[in-house]
Coordinates of all heavy atoms in Angstrom, one line a residue:
M1047 N -15.4 76.0 73.9 CA -15.1 74.6 74.2 C -15.6 73.7 72.9 O -16.7 74.0 72.5 CB -15.8 74.1 75.4 CG -15.2 72.8 76.0 SD -13.7 73.0 76.8 CE -14.2 73.4 78.5
T1048 N -14.8 72.8 72.5 CA -15.1 72.0 71.4 C -14.9 70.5 71.8 O -14.0 70.3 72.7 CB -14.1 72.3 70.2 OG1 -14.2 73.7 69.9 CG2 -14.5 71.5 69.0
L1049 N -15.7 69.7 71.2 CA -15.5 68.2 71.4 C -14.9 67.6 70.2 O -15.2 67.8 69.2 CB -16.9 67.5 71.6 CG -17.7 68.0 72.8 CD1 -19.1 67.4 72.8 CD2 -17.0 67.6 74.1
H1050 N -13.8 66.8 70.5 CA -13.1 66.1 69.5 C -13.5 64.7 69.6 O -13.3 64.0 70.7 CB -11.6 66.3 69.6 CG -10.9 65.6 68.5 ND1 -10.9 66.0 67.2 CD2 -10.2 64.4 68.5 CE1 -10.2 65.2 66.5 NE2 -9.8 64.2 67.2
I1051 N -14.2 64.1 68.6 CA -14.7 62.7 68.6 C -13.8 61.8 67.8 O -13.4 62.1 66.7 CB -16.1 62.7 68.0 CG1 -17.0 63.7 68.7 CG2 -16.7 61.3 68.0 CD1 -18.4 63.9 67.9
T1052 N -13.5 60.7 68.4 CA -12.8 59.6 67.7 C -13.5 58.3 67.8 O -14.2 58.1 68.8 CB -11.4 59.4 68.2 OG1 -11.4 59.3 69.6 CG2 -10.5 60.6 67.8
A1053 N -13.4 57.5 66.8 CA -14.1 56.1 66.9 C -13.0 55.2 66.5 O -12.3 55.3 65.5 CB -15.2 56.1 65.8
N1054 N -12.9 54.1 67.3 CA -11.9 53.1 67.1 C -12.5 52.0 66.2 O -13.3 51.2 66.6 CB -11.4 52.5 68.4 CG -10.4 51.5 68.3 OD1 -10.0 51.0 67.2 ND2 -9.9 51.0 69.4
T1055 N -12.1 52.1 64.9 CA -12.8 51.2 63.9 C -12.3 49.8 64.1 O -12.9 48.8 63.7 CB -12.5 51.6 62.5 OG1 -11.1 51.7 62.3 CG2 -13.1 53.0 62.2
A1056 N -11.2 49.6 64.8 CA -10.7 48.2 65.1 C -11.6 47.5 66.1 O -11.6 46.2 66.0 CB -9.3 48.3 65.7
V1057 N -12.3 48.1 66.9 CA -13.2 47.5 67.8 C -14.7 47.6 67.5 O -15.5 47.0 68.1 CB -13.0 47.9 69.3 CG1 -11.5 47.6 69.7 CG2 -13.3 49.4 69.5
C1058 N -15.0 48.5 66.6 CA -16.4 48.7 66.2 C -16.9 47.4 65.6 O -16.3 46.8 64.8 CB -16.5 49.8 65.1 SG -18.1 49.9 64.3
I1059 N -18.1 47.0 66.1 CA -18.8 45.7 65.6 C -20.0 46.0 64.7 O -20.7 45.2 64.4 CB -19.2 44.8 66.8 CG1 -20.2 45.6 67.7 CG2 -18.0 44.4 67.6 CD1 -20.8 44.7 68.7
G1060 N -20.1 47.3 64.4 CA -21.1 47.7 63.4 C -22.6 47.6 63.9 O -23.5 47.4 63.1
A1061 N -22.7 47.8 65.2 CA -24.0 47.7 65.8 C -24.9 48.9 65.4 O -26.2 48.7 65.4 CB -23.9 47.6 67.3
G1062 N -24.4 50.0 65.1 CA -25.2 51.1 64.6 C -25.8 52.0 65.7 O -26.6 52.9 65.3
Q1063 N -25.7 51.7 67.0 CA -26.3 52.5 67.9 C -25.9 54.0 67.9 O -26.7 54.9 68.2 CB -26.1 52.0 69.3 CG -27.0 50.9 69.7 CD -26.6 49.5 69.4 OE1 -25.8 49.4 68.4 NE2 -27.1 48.5 70.1
C1064 N -24.6 54.2 67.5 CA -24.2 55.6 67.4 C -24.9 56.3 66.3 O -25.2 57.5 66.5 CB -22.6 55.6 67.1 SG -22.2 54.7 65.6
V1065 N -25.2 55.7 65.2 CA -25.9 56.3 64.1 C -27.3 56.7 64.5 O -27.9 57.7 64.2 CB -25.9 55.4 62.9 CG1 -26.6 56.1 61.7 CG2 -24.5 55.1 62.5
M1066 N -28.0 55.7 65.2 CA -29.4 56.0 65.7 C -29.4 57.1 66.7 O -30.3 57.9 66.7 CB -30.0 54.7 66.3 CG -30.3 53.7 65.2 SD -31.2 52.3 65.8 CE -29.8 51.2 66.2
A1067 N -28.3 57.2 67.6 CA -28.3 58.2 68.6 C -28.0 59.6 68.0 O -28.6 60.6 68.4 CB -27.3 57.9 69.7
A1068 N -27.1 59.6 67.0 CA -26.6 60.9 66.5 C -26.3 60.7 65.0 O -25.2 60.7 64.6 CB -25.3 61.3 67.3
P1069 N -27.4 60.7 64.2 CA -27.2 60.5 62.7 C -26.5 61.6 62.1 O -26.0 61.4 60.9 CB -28.7 60.4 62.3 CG -29.5 61.0 63.3 CD -28.8 60.8 64.6
D1070 N -26.4 62.8 62.7 CA -25.6 63.9 62.0 C -24.2 63.8 62.3 O -23.4 64.4 61.6 CB -26.1 65.2 62.5 CG -27.5 65.6 62.1 OD1 -27.9 65.0 61.1 OD2 -28.1 66.4 62.7
L1071 N -23.8 63.0 63.2 CA -22.4 62.8 63.6 C -21.7 61.5 63.2 O -20.5 61.5 63.0 CB -22.2 62.9 65.2 CG -22.8 64.2 65.8 CD1 -22.6 64.1 67.3 CD2 -22.2 65.4 65.2
F1072 N -22.5 60.5 63.0 CA -22.0 59.2 62.6 C -22.7 58.6 61.5 O -23.9 58.8 61.3 CB -22.1 58.2 63.8 CG -21.4 58.7 65.1 CD1 -22.1 59.3 66.1 CD2 -20.0 58.6 65.2 CE1 -21.5 59.8 67.2 CE2 -19.3 59.1 66.4 CZ -20.1 59.7 67.4
D1073 N -22.0 57.8 60.7 CA -22.6 56.9 59.6 C -21.9 55.6 59.7 O -20.9 55.4 60.5 CB -22.4 57.6 58.3 CG -23.4 57.2 57.2 OD1 -24.1 56.1 57.5 OD2 -23.4 57.7 56.1
Q1074 N -22.3 54.7 58.8 CA -21.6 53.4 58.7 C -21.2 53.1 57.3 O -22.0 53.4 56.4 CB -22.5 52.3 59.2 CG -22.8 52.4 60.7 CD -23.9 51.4 61.1 OE1 -25.1 51.6 61.0 NE2 -23.5 50.2 61.6
E1075 N -20.1 52.6 57.2 CA -19.7 52.1 55.8 C -20.4 50.8 55.4 O -21.2 50.3 56.2 CB -18.2 52.1 55.7 CG -17.5 51.2 56.7 CD -16.8 50.1 56.1 OE1 -15.6 50.2 55.9 OE2 -17.4 48.9 56.1
E1076 N -20.1 50.4 54.2 CA -20.8 49.3 53.6 C -20.9 48.0 54.6 O -22.0 47.4 54.7 CB -20.1 48.8 52.4 CG -20.8 47.8 51.5 CD -20.0 47.5 50.3 OE1 -19.0 48.2 50.0 OE2 -20.3 46.4 49.7
H1077 N -19.8 47.8 55.3 CA -19.9 46.6 56.2 C -20.2 46.9 57.6 O -20.1 46.1 58.5 CB -18.4 45.9 56.1 CG -18.1 45.5 54.7 ND1 -18.7 44.4 54.1 CD2 -17.2 45.9 53.9 CE1 -18.2 44.3 52.9 NE2 -17.3 45.2 52.7
G1078 N -20.6 48.1 57.8 CA -21.2 48.5 59.1 C -20.2 49.3 60.0 O -20.6 49.8 61.0
T1079 N -19.0 49.3 59.7 CA -18.0 50.1 60.5 C -18.3 51.6 60.5 O -18.7 52.2 59.5 CB -16.6 49.8 59.9 OG1 -16.3 48.5 59.8 CG2 -15.6 50.5 60.8
V1080 N -18.2 52.1 61.7 CA -18.5 53.5 61.9 C -17.7 54.4 61.1 O -16.5 54.2 60.8 CB -18.4 53.8 63.4 CG1 -17.0 53.7 63.9 CG2 -19.0 55.2 63.8
I1081 N -18.3 55.6 60.7 CA -17.6 56.6 60.1 C -18.0 57.9 60.9 O -19.2 58.1 61.1 CB -18.1 56.9 58.6 CG1 -17.8 55.6 57.8 CG2 -17.4 58.1 58.0 CD1 -18.5 55.7 56.4
V1082 N -17.0 58.6 61.3 CA -17.3 59.9 62.0 C -17.5 61.0 61.0 O -16.6 61.3 60.3 CB -16.2 60.2 63.0 CG1 -16.5 61.5 63.7 CG2 -15.9 59.1 64.0
L1083 N -18.7 61.5 60.9 CA -19.0 62.6 60.0 C -18.5 63.9 60.5 O -18.1 64.8 59.7 CB -20.5 62.6 59.7 CG -21.2 61.4 59.2 CD1 -22.7 61.6 59.1 CD2 -20.6 61.1 57.8
E1084 N -18.6 64.1 61.7 CA -18.2 65.4 62.3 C -17.3 65.1 63.5 O -17.7 64.6 64.5 CB -19.3 66.2 62.8 CG -20.3 66.6 61.8 CD -20.0 67.9 61.0 OE1 -19.0 68.5 61.4 OE2 -20.7 68.1 60.0
D1085 N -15.9 65.3 63.4 CA -15.1 65.0 64.5 C -14.8 66.2 65.4 O -14.2 66.0 66.5 CB -13.8 64.3 64.0 CG -12.9 65.2 63.2 OD1 -13.3 66.4 62.9 OD2 -11.8 64.8 62.9
E1086 N -15.2 67.3 65.0 CA -15.1 68.5 65.9 C -16.5 69.2 66.0 O -17.1 69.6 65.0 CB -14.2 69.6 65.3 CG -12.7 69.1 65.2 CD -12.0 69.2 66.5 OE1 -12.5 69.8 67.4 OE2 -10.9 68.6 66.5
V1087 N -17.1 69.1 67.2 CA -18.4 69.6 67.4 C -18.5 70.6 68.6 O -17.7 70.4 69.5 CB -19.5 68.5 67.5 CG1 -19.5 67.7 66.3 CG2 -19.3 67.7 68.8
P1088 N -19.4 71.5 68.6 CA -19.5 72.4 69.7 C -19.9 71.7 71.0 O -20.6 70.6 71.0 CB -20.6 73.4 69.3 CG -21.0 73.1 68.0 CD -20.3 71.8 67.5
A1089 N -19.5 72.3 72.1 CA -19.7 71.6 73.4 C -21.2 71.4 73.7 O -21.6 70.5 74.5 CB -19.0 72.4 74.5
D1090 N -22.1 72.2 73.1 CA -23.5 72.1 73.4 C -24.1 70.7 72.8 O -25.2 70.4 73.0 CB -24.3 73.3 72.9 CG -24.2 73.5 71.4 OD1 -23.6 72.7 70.7 OD2 -24.8 74.6 71.0
E1091 N -23.3 70.0 72.0 CA -23.7 68.7 71.6 C -23.2 67.6 72.5 O -23.3 66.4 72.1 CB -23.2 68.5 70.1 CG -23.7 69.6 69.2 CD -23.9 69.1 67.8 OE1 -24.0 67.9 67.5 OE2 -23.8 69.9 66.9
L1092 N -22.6 67.9 73.6 CA -22.1 67.0 74.5 C -23.1 65.9 74.9 O -22.7 64.7 74.9 CB -21.6 67.7 75.9 CG -21.1 66.7 76.9 CD1 -19.8 65.9 76.4 CD2 -20.7 67.5 78.2
A1093 N -24.3 66.2 75.1 CA -25.3 65.2 75.5 C -25.5 64.1 74.5 O -25.6 62.9 74.7 CB -26.7 65.8 75.9
L1094 N -25.5 64.6 73.2 CA -25.6 63.6 72.1 C -24.4 62.7 71.9 O -24.6 61.5 71.8 CB -25.8 64.5 70.8 CG -26.6 64.0 69.6 CD1 -28.0 63.5 70.0 CD2 -26.7 65.1 68.6
V1095 N -23.2 63.3 72.0 CA -22.0 62.6 71.9 C -21.9 61.6 73.0 O -21.5 60.4 72.8 CB -20.8 63.5 71.8 CG1 -19.5 62.7 71.8 CG2 -20.9 64.5 70.6
R1096 N -22.2 62.1 74.2 CA -22.1 61.2 75.4 C -23.1 60.0 75.2 O -22.7 58.9 75.5 CB -22.5 62.0 76.6 CG -22.3 61.3 77.9 CD -22.7 62.1 79.0 NE -21.7 63.1 79.5 CZ -22.0 64.2 80.2 NH1 -23.2 64.4 80.6 NH2 -21.1 65.0 80.5
E1097 N -24.3 60.3 74.7 CA -25.2 59.2 74.6 C -24.7 58.2 73.5 O -24.9 56.9 73.7 CB -26.6 59.7 74.1 CG -27.6 58.6 74.0 CD -29.0 59.1 73.8 OE1 -29.2 60.3 73.6 OE2 -29.9 58.3 73.7
A1098 N -24.2 58.7 72.4 CA -23.7 57.7 71.3 C -22.6 56.9 72.0 O -22.6 55.7 71.7 CB -23.2 58.6 70.2
A1099 N -21.7 57.5 72.7 CA -20.6 56.8 73.3 C -21.1 55.8 74.3 O -20.6 54.6 74.4 CB -19.6 57.8 73.9
Y1100 N -22.1 56.2 75.1 CA -22.7 55.3 76.1 C -23.3 54.1 75.5 O -23.2 53.0 76.0 CB -23.6 56.1 77.0 CG -24.4 55.2 78.0 CD1 -23.7 54.8 79.1 CD2 -25.7 54.9 77.8 CE1 -24.4 54.0 80.0 CE2 -26.4 54.2 78.6 CZ -25.7 53.6 79.8 OH -26.5 52.9 80.7
L1101 N -24.1 54.3 74.4 CA -24.8 53.3 73.8 C -24.0 52.3 72.9 O -24.3 51.1 72.7 CB -25.9 53.8 72.8 CG -27.0 54.6 73.5 CD1 -27.9 55.2 72.5 CD2 -27.8 53.6 74.4
C1102 N -22.8 52.7 72.6 CA -21.9 51.8 71.8 C -21.5 50.6 72.5 O -20.8 50.7 73.6 CB -20.6 52.6 71.3 SG -19.5 51.5 70.4
P1103 N -21.9 49.4 72.1 CA -21.6 48.3 72.9 C -20.1 47.8 73.0 O -19.6 47.1 73.9 CB -22.4 47.1 72.2 CG -22.6 47.6 70.8 CD -22.6 49.1 70.9
S1104 N -19.3 48.4 72.0 CA -17.8 48.0 72.0 C -17.0 49.1 72.5 O -15.7 49.1 72.4 CB -17.5 47.6 70.6 OG -17.6 48.6 69.7
R1105 N -17.6 50.2 73.0 CA -16.9 51.4 73.6 C -15.9 51.9 72.5 O -14.8 52.2 72.8 CB -16.1 50.9 74.8 CG -17.0 50.6 76.0 CD -17.7 51.8 76.6 NE -18.7 51.5 77.5 CZ -20.0 51.5 77.2 NH1 -20.5 51.7 76.0 NH2 -20.9 51.2 78.1
A1106 N -16.4 51.9 71.3 CA -15.5 52.4 70.2 C -15.4 54.0 70.1 O -14.4 54.5 69.6 CB -16.0 51.8 68.9
I1107 N -16.4 54.5 70.7 CA -16.5 56.0 70.6 C -15.9 56.7 71.8 O -16.4 56.5 72.9 CB -17.9 56.5 70.3 CG1 -18.4 55.9 69.0 CG2 -18.1 58.0 70.3 CD1 -19.9 56.1 68.8
T1108 N -15.0 57.6 71.6 CA -14.4 58.4 72.7 C -14.4 59.9 72.3 O -14.5 60.2 71.1 CB -13.0 58.0 73.1 OG1 -12.2 58.0 71.9 CG2 -13.0 56.5 73.6
Y1109 N -14.4 60.7 73.3 CA -14.3 62.2 73.0 C -13.5 62.9 74.0 O -13.4 62.4 75.2 CB -15.8 62.7 72.9 CG -16.6 62.5 74.1 CD1 -16.7 63.4 75.2 CD2 -17.3 61.3 74.3 CE1 -17.4 63.2 76.3 CE2 -18.1 61.1 75.4 CZ -18.1 62.0 76.4 OH -18.8 61.8 77.5
T1110 N -12.9 64.0 73.6 CA -12.2 64.9 74.5 C -12.7 66.2 74.3 O -13.2 66.7 73.2 CB -10.7 64.8 74.2 OG1 -10.5 65.1 72.8 CG2 -10.1 63.4 74.5
E1111 N -12.7 67.0 75.4 CA -13.0 68.4 75.3 C -11.7 69.2 75.1 O -10.7 69.0 75.8 CB -13.7 68.9 76.6 CG -15.0 68.2 76.8 CD -15.7 68.7 78.0 OE1 -15.4 69.8 78.5 OE2 -16.6 68.0 78.6
T1112 N -11.7 70.1 74.1 CA -10.6 70.9 73.9 C -11.1 72.4 73.8 O -12.2 72.7 73.5 CB -10.0 70.6 72.4 OG1 -11.0 70.7 71.5 CG2 -9.4 69.2 72.5
S1113 N -10.2 73.3 74.2 CA -10.6 74.7 74.2 C -10.4 75.2 72.8 O -9.4 74.9 72.1 CB -9.7 75.4 75.1 OG -9.8 75.0 76.5
A1114 N -11.4 75.9 72.4 CA -11.3 76.5 71.0 C -10.3 77.7 71.1 O -10.2 78.4 72.0 CB -12.7 77.1 70.6
T1115 N -9.6 77.8 70.0 CA -8.6 78.9 70.0 C -9.0 79.9 69.0 O -9.8 79.7 68.1 CB -7.2 78.3 69.5 OG1 -7.4 77.6 68.3 CG2 -6.6 77.5 70.6
Ligands
LIG700 S1 -22.4 51.9 68.1 FE1 -20.2 51.4 68.3 S2 -20.0 49.3 67.5 FE2 -21.9 50.2 66.8 S3 -21.4 51.1 64.7 FE3 -21.2 52.7 66.3 S4 -19.0 52.7 66.9 FE4 -19.5 50.8 65.9

């Protein structure tokens, strides 16, 4: 199982909670907008991804579980 992470930069307000929660997965560009560093991660990182998505005040981070092929 793999997690596919997406971040909606149109609604990101640059709060940075995602970066604090999961610095290996997210970064911010110059003006604060989120950058997804790793958009495919193993399912064992679900707790981290879930926390980042939960903490995001603008609900910009979403993820789906996909079966690895
Ligand atoms: S926590 Fe949400 S609003 Fe803040 S930088 Fe990350 S994606 Fe953007």
Side-chain angles (χ1 to χ4, degrees):
M1047 197 79 85
T1048 303
L1049 298 171
H1050 181 75
I1051 304 169
T1052 49
N1054 183 350
T1055 55
V1057 300
C1058 171
I1059 58 170
Q1063 273 88 338
C1064 57
V1065 180
M1066 284 187 269
D1070 291 339
L1071 303 181
F1072 302 100
D1073 199 356
Q1074 288 173 278
E1075 53 118 89
E1076 188 182 347
H1077 299 291
T1079 304
V1080 65
I1081 300 168
V1082 179
L1083 299 175
E1084 300 276 352
D1085 65 354
E1086 297 280 347
V1087 299
D1090 61 5
E1091 300 207 29
L1092 175 62
L1094 207 54
V1095 175
R1096 186 184 280 161
E1097 184 175 0
Y1100 174 74
L1101 291 174
C1102 174
S1104 61
R1105 294 286 170 262
I1107 297 170
T1108 54
Y1109 55 92
T1110 53
E1111 293 183 23
T1112 53
S1113 298
T1115 51

